[in-house]
Structure formats: structure tokens, C-alpha cells
Amino acid sequence: MMKKAVGRGAATRKYDLLSVLGSYALSQDKHVQKQALRLICLITARYNWQSDELSIGQNEISKLWSVDVRTVKREMAALRKRGWLVEKRPAARGRVALYGLNVVQILEDTREGWAKIGPDLVERLAPVEQSAPQTNVVPLRVADMPSDGIWSEVARRLQRHHPTAWGAWFAQLSVLSEDRETLVLRAGSEFQASYIDTHLRATLEAVIRSVAPQIQRVQIIAHV
């Protein structure tokens, strides 16, 4: 998967991300095309790759996009809902909101079009299996996969697109409760819950949103 776009090879990684976004947009309807173009404009104009931060006020965005502030609010909310932008810090008096790029979700959404750009890009962006961290979490067998509900499809996508993280961390998660907007997942231990919350929450939430956009809150608690 794409590394952080800093250091050696950073320019290539940046162009690859912009390329897959642009190519994906051109295969979609006009609404998605405009949405992707607006994100690309934000990335190229104001994104800080070193710190993985986008800090820009709504008035500045409205000038950049040549739209009113109401449109900015609507489009930024849509980008967050799509999972392409993650709010790191909400806006407050005298302080603009702080966003980060959810590269995992962008790559997952655009994956089917990578080959249109070229085999070299596919090779660069294809997931590379890394050594899984040492853990006592035992991966589920295929027969143990949940058979229904939101988590069923989420689990299948995690296993398919993030096999290492699935086997090492996600496999023992189970649904404790679920309502219209909240999904509560149960982990096998405090350590597992803490690790997923700290290091893998963005990946987990991105996949959940791709399956069930109505879910606004994901909780991970240890088995009790």
C-alpha cells in the first residue's frame, strides 16, 4: 500500500495518488467528477504532505473553488462521508478545522481503475504483505466468518483488501451491538482494542463507511 508521501520517492507517490483520483473521477458522473476535482485542488494547493494535514478555512476554500460557503460546507461533509477526508480537529472560535487524507479509502475506491493508468502504477500501489506483529490473536477460519449483518460484508472486505491486518488484528472482532448510527465491536483483549483504536481505526472506519454510510460512530471495547 502507498507509503507516506515524504522522503525518497515522495513525488511519485503524490502523483500516483492524484492520478488514481483523476482517472477514477473521469469514469464517474459529473457530480463525482466535480467532487474529486475539488479535493485534488485542495491537495495540490494546500495539503501539507510532511505532517499529513490540511488546514484551511471555509472562506479560503470558497475562493479556491469559486463557490459560496454553503457549498463548501456541503462538499466537505460529503468528502468526509465518502471517507476521503478525515477530520482530525473540529473548527472552533478563532481556529479552522484540521483534516487528513484517508489514503486507504481513496485507494480502495479507485482500485479497479489502476490498470487503466499502467502496470507500473499497479505494481507500486499493490499491497505488499509485511510481517505481521507478534500477537496471540488467532485468525478466523473461513467457516468462522460472520454470515449476516453489516459486519459480514465488512469482514469480507477487510480480509480481501487488508489480509495482514485482518489475520493479526481484525479477525477476532465481533459485533456487540448495532443500531442505526452506532456499531459497537468487541475485541478479545484490552491490548487488541487499544492497538486497533490507535493504529487501525481509520482503515476499519473507512471499510465500515463503504458498506454502511449511515454508521457515524464505531466503538471498540475489550471482551468482558
Side-chain angles (χ1 to χ4, degrees):
M1 193 61 71
M2 178 178 284
K3 301 176 182 178
K4 189 175 180 180
V6 294
R8 186 176 182 180
T12 299
R13 292 192 289 276
K14 294 174 186 177
Y15 281 119
D16 283 347
L17 184 65
L18 295 173
S19 295
V20 297
L21 264 174
S23 180
Y24 171 80
L26 291 170
S27 69
Q28 304 298 307
D29 60 34
K30 292 182 179 180
H31 175 71
V32 177
Q33 288 178 8
K34 184 175 291 186
Q35 195 173 74
L37 178 59
R38 285 170 172 165
L39 178 59
I40 290 171
C41 186
L42 282 179
I43 293 172
T44 55
R46 296 300 298 272
Y47 203 77
N48 186 324
W49 295 94
Q50 183 69 41
S51 60
D52 183 31
E53 292 178 349
L54 172 68
S55 181
I56 181 173
Q58 293 177 348
N59 288 329
E60 292 179 88
I61 297 175
S62 69
K63 293 176 183 177
L64 191 64
W65 289 353
S66 297
V67 297
D68 57 31
V69 172
R70 180 179 297 180
T71 300
V72 170
K73 292 179 180 179
R74 183 179 66 248
E75 286 294 88
M76 293 298 280
L79 288 169
R80 292 196 305 272
K81 184 176 181 180
R82 185 180 284 274
W84 289 358
L85 280 181
V86 177
E87 188 177 66
K88 292 184 172 184
R89 184 191 69 202
R93 182 175 296 179
R95 188 177 69 181
V96 301
L98 185 66
Y99 297 95
L101 275 181
N102 189 342
V103 176
V104 171
Q105 185 64 47
I106 292 173
L107 294 182
E108 182 166 325
D109 288 350
T110 60
R111 183 184 302 273
E112 292 184 1
W114 293 357
K116 298 176 183 178
I117 300 173
D120 56 328
L121 179 136
V122 174
E123 184 176 352
R124 287 193 299 272
L125 297 188
V128 177
E129 290 298 312
Q130 300 177 347
S131 298
Q134 294 299 314
T135 174
N136 59 358
V137 177
V138 179
L140 293 178
R141 301 185 304 274
V142 174
D144 295 325
M145 291 287 287
S147 59
D148 54 22
I150 291 173
W151 184 243
S152 172
E153 180 58 27
V154 170
R156 283 169 171 75
R157 295 192 186 192
L158 286 169
Q159 189 179 52
R160 182 166 64 248
H161 298 305
H162 309 284
T164 298
W166 166 261
W169 298 104
F170 293 134
Q172 278 196 342
L173 291 178
S174 60
V175 177
L176 187 61
S177 66
E178 173 189 328
D179 59 30
R180 180 174 177 82
E181 296 185 345
T182 303
L183 180 65
V184 181
L185 299 173
R186 180 168 56 193
S189 67
E190 289 279 1
F191 177 73
Q192 183 193 22
S194 176
Y195 187 94
I196 293 174
D197 188 61
T198 302
H199 300 284
L200 297 170
R201 174 172 282 278
T203 298
L204 178 63
E205 290 185 343
V207 176
I208 290 173
R209 277 195 296 267
S210 70
V211 173
Q214 75 275 12
I215 296 295
Q216 300 297 314
R217 187 180 180 209
V218 179
Q219 287 182 277
I220 307 167
I221 65 173
H223 175 71
V224 291

